[in-house]
């Protein structure tokens, strides 16, 4: 396979439109898994997703041109699933399961298109919202984030000379390869790419995935990016995300319903899927609260993906809970994916070695680590914490508490109500970098 000269492509980005998103498969696998379940259980719910820049000092609306942003968003709305893509989705084996997606769902996808968007500038930031049926707005999250991050990258490299760009990418490649060389030393490592949402660019993510596939061999278990999984004969990796409990909670009509909402929607998940897809995400309203109230059947699931508490702290809490439930942690799986990089992967791997099965989702620090790589130091390519979250459900405000209050989303009054219902145990404020 010919290796793309990324520096040349970056230098030549002056075309009328160089599309960032070229396929609806250029998304995370859990989006398609959730979408199939959403369509079954929540076909009528109207859900708004909103892009939120948690790195407030980076004023995106003063960096990214509004016309270019609209052109990329408009282009994404023209894309449809191709026949080849649908045949691959229908016929491939995912997580050991043939026909993961029903013929009815595949047929429905053939006519799918992204819904309209609402874009405004407010105080140096973009307010970008997606209103409509949950079955459609959910699919905007990944392409919207990828578009905004790549437009920022393009702006930072615009006007740079051909050789400056060549050195930039050479340094970034060498930086990634030095990480790969360290990770090679971790025997039995299981690691996958989770870096689509906040990647430097689509070509760069492809290079990173292909490089790590060669560098780590069997230790590289796959990618969350469905298009890259298809193109590189890799496993598509992913289960579910915070939007499930957030929507279920927003629909609750009482405090008691609110308390049980995360388990009610996980019950729907386990009736849709099974086996290795039974990975619970416990931190939407606090991991300690989730474990305290969780029904016994959650302990029978394959594992957990702790996502906003320090990995070792969260892992220890979950192992303790499994033991209390009479389960053997060595038979369970912990998936660590929150801001992981080589140091935290090594530390977490060594801490839990032999005590529990572990795997890692390597995200922004895989696909967008250009820190210190710009030859003259002028290009601001440090990654930012850009997210796209559920903000309302059928007109009701949605909330995420998180184990880290810096990651909380929602109106202050609703956050206060959720804290009254779920409590504040185990929530520790920490700076969010990616």
């Amino acid at each position: 396979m010919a290796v793309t000269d990324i520096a040349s492509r970056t230098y030549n980005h002056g075309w009328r439109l160089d599309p960032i998103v070229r396929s609806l498969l250029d998304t995370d696998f859990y989006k398609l898994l959730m979408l199939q379940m959403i369509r079954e259980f929540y076909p009528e719910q109207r859900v708004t997703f909103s892009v939120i820049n948690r790195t407030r000092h980076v004023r995106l609306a003063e960096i990214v041109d509004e016309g270019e942003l609209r052109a990329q968003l408009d282009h994404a709305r023209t894309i449809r699933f191709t026949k080849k893509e649908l045949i691959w989705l229908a016929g491939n084996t995912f997580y050991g399961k043939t026909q993961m997606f029903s013929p009815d769902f595949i047929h429905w996808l053939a006519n799918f298109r992204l819904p309209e968007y609402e874009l405004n500038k407010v105080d140096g930031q973009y307010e970008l919202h997606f209103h409509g049926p949950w079955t459609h707005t959910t699919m905007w999250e990944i392409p919207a984030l990828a578009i905004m991050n790549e437009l920022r990258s393009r702006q930072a490299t615009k006007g740079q000379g051909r050789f400056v760009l060549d050195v930039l990418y050479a340094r970034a490649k060498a930086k990634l390869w030095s990480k790969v060389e360290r990770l090679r030393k971790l025997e039995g490592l299981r690691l996958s790419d989770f870096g689509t949402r906040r990647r430097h660019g689509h070509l760069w993510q492809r290079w990173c995935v292909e490089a790590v596939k060669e560098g780590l061999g069997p230790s590289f278990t796959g990618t969350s990016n469905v298009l890259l999984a298809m193109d590189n004969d890799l496993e598509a990796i992913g289960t579910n995300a915070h939007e499930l409990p957030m929507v279920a909670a927003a629909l609750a009509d009482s405090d008691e319903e609110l308390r049980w909402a995360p388990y009610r929607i996980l019950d729907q998940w386990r009736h849709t899927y099974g086996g290795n897809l039974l990975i619970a995400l416990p931190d939407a309203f606090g991991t300690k609260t989730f474990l305290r109230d969780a029904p016994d059947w959650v302990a029978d699931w394959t594992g957990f993906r702790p996502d906003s508490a320090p990995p070792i702290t969260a892992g220890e809490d979950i192992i303790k809970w499994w033991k209390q439930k009479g389960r053997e942690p060595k038979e369970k799986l912990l998936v660590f994916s929150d801001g992981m990089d080589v140091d935290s992967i090594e530390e977490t791997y060594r801490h839990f070695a032999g005590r529990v099965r572990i795997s890692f989702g390597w995200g922004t620090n895989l696909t967008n680590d250009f820190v210190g790589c710009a030859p003259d130091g002028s290009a601001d390519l440090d990654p930012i914490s850009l997210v796209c979250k559920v903000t309302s459900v059928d007109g009701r405000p949605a909330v995420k508490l998180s184990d880290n209050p810096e990651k909380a989303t929602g109106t202050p009054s609703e956050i206060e109500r959720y804290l009254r219902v779920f409590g504040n145990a185990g929530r520790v404020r920490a700076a969010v970098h990616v």
Side-chain angles (χ1 to χ4, degrees):
M1 180 187 298
V3 177
T4 301
D5 182 348
I6 301 175
S8 291
R9 283 293 300 275
T10 302
Y11 185 73
N12 293 331
H13 274 322
W15 305 329
R16 186 176 63 83
L17 178 68
D18 183 9
I20 291 169
V21 176
R22 299 166 182 240
S23 165
L24 290 176
L25 282 191
D26 188 8
T27 192
D28 282 343
F29 188 51
Y30 67 9
K31 279 292 170 182
L32 295 175
L33 292 171
M34 289 190 296
L35 180 56
Q36 181 168 241
M37 193 205 89
I38 291 164
R39 188 167 166 265
E40 178 182 355
F41 289 100
Y42 299 91
E44 304 301 325
Q45 260 58 56
R46 297 187 67 81
V47 173
T48 295
F49 282 76
S50 302
V51 172
I52 301 165
N53 180 13
R54 296 190 294 217
T55 311
R56 298 295 297 175
H57 71 273
V58 175
R59 298 168 69 84
L60 280 177
E62 297 172 4
I63 298 170
V64 172
D65 178 77
E66 182 178 346
E68 291 183 16
L69 176 55
R70 288 186 182 275
Q72 292 288 348
L73 296 170
D74 290 342
H75 174 77
R77 294 195 64 232
T78 69
I79 303 171
R80 304 290 184 272
F81 287 100
T82 67
K83 190 171 293 185
K84 171 191 170 184
E85 292 169 344
L86 294 175
I87 290 171
W88 182 80
L89 280 177
N92 200 40
T93 299
F94 300 99
Y95 284 88
K97 178 181 171 64
T98 55
Q99 208 173 59
M100 178 72 80
F101 301 106
S102 71
D104 176 63
F105 180 63
I106 296 293
H107 178 73
W108 180 81
L109 284 180
N111 296 310
F112 179 87
R113 64 176 295 184
L114 292 167
E116 293 181 4
Y117 59 89
E118 177 191 344
L119 179 66
N120 299 293
K121 287 183 178 180
V122 178
D123 191 25
Q125 301 292 347
Y126 281 115
E127 286 195 352
L128 179 56
H129 306 285
F130 308 102
H131 311 285
W134 192 11
T135 49
H136 288 68
T137 56
T138 183
M139 288 293 283
W140 256 124
E141 176 185 356
I142 309 301
L145 292 175
I147 285 168
M148 292 190 76
N149 277 290
E150 184 160 354
L151 284 178
R152 175 175 174 256
S153 298
R154 289 184 181 184
Q155 185 59 38
T157 55
K158 187 176 289 186
Q160 300 278 12
R162 172 72 177 79
F163 288 94
V164 169
L165 289 169
D166 216 18
V167 171
L168 170 72
Y169 286 105
R171 288 178 176 176
K173 289 175 179 180
K175 189 175 187 181
L176 172 57
W177 199 254
S178 69
K179 297 181 183 184
V180 169
E181 289 175 331
R182 285 172 61 182
L183 293 172
R184 276 179 180 161
K185 298 173 184 175
L186 305 181
E187 187 178 347
L189 174 71
R190 293 179 59 79
L191 177 145
S192 55
D193 157 46
F194 276 22
T196 302
R197 295 182 304 156
R198 291 196 282 270
R199 66 193 182 193
H200 169 80
H202 66 289
L203 291 174
W204 180 246
Q205 184 186 17
R206 185 177 291 272
W207 188 92
C208 291
V209 166
E210 293 172 0
V212 177
K213 179 184 178 183
E214 178 178 315
L216 292 184
S219 291
F220 186 56
T221 57
T223 172
S224 64
N225 187 293
V226 191
L227 181 63
L228 293 179
M230 181 179 75
D231 289 349
N232 290 282
D233 195 25
L234 288 165
E235 289 287 333
I237 304 292
T239 52
N240 54 70
H242 293 113
E243 68 185 84
L244 296 187
M246 288 177 69
V247 170
L251 291 170
D253 289 322
S254 67
D255 286 356
E256 188 63 17
E257 281 190 19
L258 176 58
R259 183 176 288 108
W260 287 103
Y263 313 112
R264 182 167 56 81
I265 202 158
L266 285 183
D267 191 36
Q268 293 168 334
W269 179 266
R270 69 174 176 154
H271 283 99
T272 306
Y273 303 109
N276 289 331
L277 289 177
L278 296 182
I279 303 293
L281 185 61
D283 69 311
F285 311 118
T287 296
K288 285 189 179 292
T289 301
F290 182 94
L291 296 176
R292 182 192 70 201
D293 295 338
D296 285 346
W297 53 260
V298 177
D300 294 324
W301 277 35
T302 302
F304 282 87
R305 179 166 71 91
D307 193 52
S308 56
I312 290 175
T313 302
E316 289 292 351
D317 286 346
I318 293 167
I319 287 174
K320 180 181 177 182
W321 180 80
W322 275 324
K323 289 179 176 177
Q324 290 171 348
K325 294 291 183 179
R327 307 308 196 271
E328 173 51 66
K330 289 182 180 179
E331 297 173 359
K332 299 295 186 180
L333 176 65
L334 290 175
V335 181
F336 297 101
S337 60
D338 180 32
M340 304 302 290
D341 204 4
V342 179
D343 289 342
S344 58
I345 291 171
E346 288 176 337
E347 181 186 17
T348 307
Y349 168 93
R350 291 179 177 129
H351 182 88
F352 290 110
R355 299 174 56 205
V356 63
R357 295 161 53 214
I358 56 175
S359 70
F360 296 94
W362 197 10
T364 309
N365 289 314
L366 166 63
T367 61
N368 199 357
D369 185 3
F370 284 74
V371 177
C373 293
D376 56 5
S378 62
D380 181 11
L381 289 167
D382 292 8
I384 61 175
S385 186
L386 195 67
V387 296
C388 184
K389 293 294 181 186
V390 175
T391 48
S392 74
V393 182
D394 290 346
R396 302 179 178 193
V399 168
K400 178 190 172 194
L401 292 179
S402 178
D403 285 324
N404 179 359
E406 289 291 329
K407 290 187 170 186
T409 59
T411 62
S413 60
E414 279 297 283
I415 289 175
E416 196 62 38
R417 182 170 78 92
Y418 276 58
L419 286 171
R420 191 181 74 244
V421 171
F422 291 106
N424 202 26
R427 299 177 74 239
V428 178
R429 192 173 296 275
V432 178
H433 300 291
V434 296

